Amino acid sequence: MHELAFVFAGFAVGLIVGLTGVGGGSLMTPVLIFFFGVKPHLAIGTDLLFAAFTKMGGTVSMARQRLVPWRVVGQLCAGSIPAALLALWVLKTLGPASGLAQRVMTTTLGFALLLTAAATLYKVVAFSRERQAADHARRAANAALATRPRHWSLPVLLGAVIGTLVTFTSVGAGAIGVTVLLLVYPLLPLPRVIGADIAYAVPLTLVAGLGHASLGSVDWPLLAQLLAGSLPGIWLGSRLVTRTPERLIRSILSALLAWAGAKLILI
């Protein structure tokens, strides 16, 4: 019975990732910990590879629609990949299953979820559909400048922060990543922001996930069950991305993420 529940959970998370760009880690990791009783280090390690393969499928769909700005993806990876490798070294030194590492992961995950909830709510308030429509003509007129950041160092520095968060918690490449993209690349249209966020998360979560796998922090049968549901889910979500009531979905997600973050901090 648990096998079907894992497949369904994977489908639901994949669908939401495709619809909103909110990361699988911010949703799947709390689900695995709270509803299925998976240990934090196994939940985080398994979810990183889950996110990598799920978003790989989403990237293919987005790329076919020409919604992935590869220059932006490369700029963010320049900061996040080295930071992820450094974070993996720290985890290896501590031991991922040690009491100290578990406390660091759980507490950091809680704060990351609260930050993700705030970022999700911020996008609801500051980037409503009405504002998107008003900005469409301005963004279209500046398409050549859309992939130019406010400052060249911002994607590298903020990418490093996200890379560290993702490696320790599996959270950060979704809602936080989208918020960073909206702030650093103000001329980038929202569908391309989501495309960049999904594509950028693939190499980051793959590196971090394989690093966790080398430390024994991945449940491979669980990963297979989650992917069986998530791959069709994110494909469907990426097809419906322009037709979803985004503000309603993001508002509900923001409340759920804040609840999960507060509960993890209080554990």
Side-chain angles (χ1 to χ4, degrees):
M1 195 67 179
H2 260 192
E3 289 79 4
L4 288 177
F6 286 136
V7 172
F8 178 77
F11 177 83
V13 171
L15 180 66
I16 293 171
V17 170
L19 284 173
T20 68
V22 173
S26 59
L27 299 171
M28 183 55 72
T29 302
V31 166
L32 291 176
I33 293 173
F34 292 133
F35 293 100
F36 295 109
V38 179
K39 299 240 178 238
H41 72 289
L42 283 175
I44 290 169
T46 303
D47 183 64
L48 283 167
L49 287 181
F50 163 78
F53 289 110
T54 297
K55 292 194 173 185
M56 200 177 293
T59 299
V60 172
S61 178
M62 290 286 192
R64 285 178 176 173
Q65 300 175 68
R66 300 184 181 276
L67 293 177
V68 179
W70 294 107
R71 179 182 175 184
V72 172
V73 172
Q75 290 167 342
L76 290 170
C77 285
S80 64
I81 300 300
L85 293 173
L86 180 60
L88 285 169
W89 176 81
V90 172
L91 279 177
K92 182 178 180 180
T93 302
L94 293 175
S98 68
L100 176 60
Q102 294 290 300
R103 285 194 298 274
V104 169
M105 286 183 181
T106 304
T107 304
T108 307
L109 176 59
F111 283 110
L113 288 174
L114 289 177
L115 184 59
T116 302
T120 304
L121 186 61
Y122 169 74
K123 290 195 295 295
V124 172
V125 174
F127 295 92
S128 64
R129 287 194 180 276
E130 291 78 9
R131 177 166 176 174
Q132 291 170 31
D135 288 348
H136 178 73
R138 177 177 61 84
R139 287 177 171 175
N142 293 278
L145 302 175
T147 57
R148 184 177 299 176
R150 291 181 183 272
H151 190 275
W152 68 268
S153 65
L154 287 176
V156 177
L157 293 174
L158 294 173
V161 173
I162 293 174
T164 303
L165 270 179
V166 166
T167 305
F168 277 118
T169 69
S170 77
V171 174
I176 298 174
V178 169
T179 302
V180 166
L181 286 165
L182 287 168
L183 295 174
V184 177
Y185 300 91
L187 300 179
L188 202 61
L190 186 61
R192 299 197 77 200
V193 166
I194 294 175
D197 177 68
I198 291 176
Y200 150 69
V202 173
L204 172 57
T205 53
L206 189 59
V207 167
L210 291 175
H212 275 264
S214 71
L215 300 176
S217 299
V218 173
D219 185 327
W220 295 101
L222 171 59
L223 174 63
Q225 292 158 7
L226 294 175
L227 288 174
S230 73
L231 293 177
I234 195 168
W235 180 87
L236 179 61
S238 65
R239 292 291 173 179
L240 299 175
V241 68
T242 58
R243 307 170 193 170
T244 177
E246 184 181 336
R247 297 186 71 186
L248 175 62
I249 293 175
R250 288 189 186 276
S251 298
I252 295 171
L253 284 175
S254 178
L256 290 174
L257 294 174
W259 169 80
K263 188 167 182 179
L264 277 167
I265 291 171
L266 294 174
I267 289 177

